[in-house]
C-alpha cells in the first residue's frame, strides 16, 4: 500500500489522512498498521511505499517513523527496497528525492512466503551484478489518467505486480488499505490473486472502473461496496 504523505498531496475529501498534525498523522497510520497486522496471514508480508519529504527546508523522516511504529506493533522489518524512478519527469532543480522512493517490507514471523526464484530473475539494469537485488528501476508516467479523472499519485502497475509475485501465490488474498486509483486491484487481477481494497474517497470509484476498462479486465466479478449503503 501507499499511504498519503503528510501535509503534501490533497486527495479531495475532508477528514483524509495527511492533512492533520504530524503526530495525529502517525497515530492514524499506526491504527491502520495495527489492523493490518491483525488480519495478515502468519506467513504474509506488508509492503509500504513511502518517502521522506521536506517542509520549511527540514527533512521529515516518515519512513523511519513508520518503521518504529510497525516494530512496536510486532512487525519485523525484513528489508528496504529502493524504487528508482529514472523517467524524465521534470522536478525542481534542488529536488533529488523524487528520483527514488522506499518500499518497506515487513513480515510477522521468521518463516514467511518468499519466491526467491522470482527475485533472482529481476534485473532492471544493464549490469548483472545488480541482478536479483533490491534496487528496482521502474518508470512512473507523468500526468493524470485522463482529462475526466484527477489523482495526484498513481504508481505503476508493474511495481505492485512484482511485490505480489514475490510474496504470494496464485489464489491468495491481497489487501490494500489505501486503494486510491486501484493499481493494486489491477495488479492482483492480472496475477490471479483475490483482492480486498479500501478507499476513503468514494469519488475515485469512477477512476478505478475506467482503469479496469482501459486495462481490458472484466469488471462484472468486482464488487464495489459503499459503507453508506449499509448504514
Amino acid at each position: 500500500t501507499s499511504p498519503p504523505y503528510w501535509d503534501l498531496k490533497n486527495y479531495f475529501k475532508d477528514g483524509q489522512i495527511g492533512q492533520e498534525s504530524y503526530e495525529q498523522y502517525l497515530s492514524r497510520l499506526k491504527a491502520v498498521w495495527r489492523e493490518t497486522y491483525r488480519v495478515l496471514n502468519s506467513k504474509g508480508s506488508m509492503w509500504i511505499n513511502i518517502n521522506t519529504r521536506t517542509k520549511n527546508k527540514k527533512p521529515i523522516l516518515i519512513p523511519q517513523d513508520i518503521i518504529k511504529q510497525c516494530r512496536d506493533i510486532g512487525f519485523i522489518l525484513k528489508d528496504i527496497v529502493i524504487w528508482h524512478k529514472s523517467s524524465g519527469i521534470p522536478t525542481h532543480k534542488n529536488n533529488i528525492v523524487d528520483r527514488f522512493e522506499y518500499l518497506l517490507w515487513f513480515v510477522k514471523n521468521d518463516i514467511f512466503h518468499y519466491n526467491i526464484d522470482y527475485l533472482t530473475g529481476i534485473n532492471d539494469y544493464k549490469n548483472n551484478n545488480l541482478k536479483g537485488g533490491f534496487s528496482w528501476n521502474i518508470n512512473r508516467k507523468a500526468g493524470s489518467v485522463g482529462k475526466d479523472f484527477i489523482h495526484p499519485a498513481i504508481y505503476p502497475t508493474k511495481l505492485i505486480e512484482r511485490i505480489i509475485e514475490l510474496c504470494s501465490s496464485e489464489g491468495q488474498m491481497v489487501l490494500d488499505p489505501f486503494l486510491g486509483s486501484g493499481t493494486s486491484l489491477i495488479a492482483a487481477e492480472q496475477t490471479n490473486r483475490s483482492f480486498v481494497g479500501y478507499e476513503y474517497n468514494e469519488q475515485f470509484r469512477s477512476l478505478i472502473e475506467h482503469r479496469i476498462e482501459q486495462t481490458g479486465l472484466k469488471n462484472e466479478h468486482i464488487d464495489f461496496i459503499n459503507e453508506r449503503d449499509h448504514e
Side-chain angles (χ1 to χ4, degrees), residues 190-208:
Q190 292 181 331
T191 54
N192 298 313
R193 269 67 169 178
S194 299
F195 183 82
V196 172
Y198 297 87
E199 175 50 47
Y200 181 61
N201 191 336
E202 61 273 6
Q203 294 184 8
F204 286 164
R205 173 175 173 172
S206 59
L207 169 58
I208 295 171

Side-chain angles (χ1 to χ4, degrees), residues 46-60:
M46 177 175 71
W47 288 71
I48 301 175
N49 168 220
I50 195 69
N51 205 356
T52 61
R53 64 149 309 197
T54 301
K55 185 176 177 64
N56 299 326
K57 298 183 178 180
K58 294 182 180 180
I60 309 297

